[in-house]
Amino acid sequence: MKQTPDQIVDYVISSARLEGGPLTDETISVVRKIASGEMTRDEMKAWQRTRVAEIQSEARSRK
């Protein structure tokens, strides 16, 4: 049975909570776009690269 976009989002949120990982509003918004087909694979990868760069920058500034 194919899951609806809302079911996919609920699953991702539940999974993240079980793993103890925080989900920002931005991340949930991106998950919704992916689940509903509004974000392409290339757009998702670009968002991931941007977030990784931001996290790395924040970590370096704390040192």
Side-chain angles (χ1 to χ4, degrees):
M1 174 185 282
K2 187 175 179 177
Q3 293 182 320
T4 67
D6 286 338
Q7 289 172 319
I8 293 168
V9 172
D10 289 344
Y11 174 81
V12 170
I13 291 170
S14 297
S15 179
R17 285 183 182 152
L18 286 172
E19 294 176 12
L23 280 180
T24 64
D25 289 342
E26 177 190 15
T27 302
I28 294 170
S29 174
V30 169
V31 169
R32 285 187 198 290
K33 288 178 183 178
I34 293 167
S36 64
E38 296 175 26
M39 183 178 263
T40 66
R41 182 180 300 262
D42 289 340
E43 290 170 329
M44 180 184 69
K45 287 181 179 183
W47 178 79
Q48 286 176 317
R49 284 190 297 271
T50 300
R51 281 299 297 138
V52 167
E54 289 170 356
I55 291 166
Q56 289 172 334
S57 177
E58 291 171 10
R60 281 192 287 273
S61 69
R62 291 183 191 141
K63 290 184 179 181

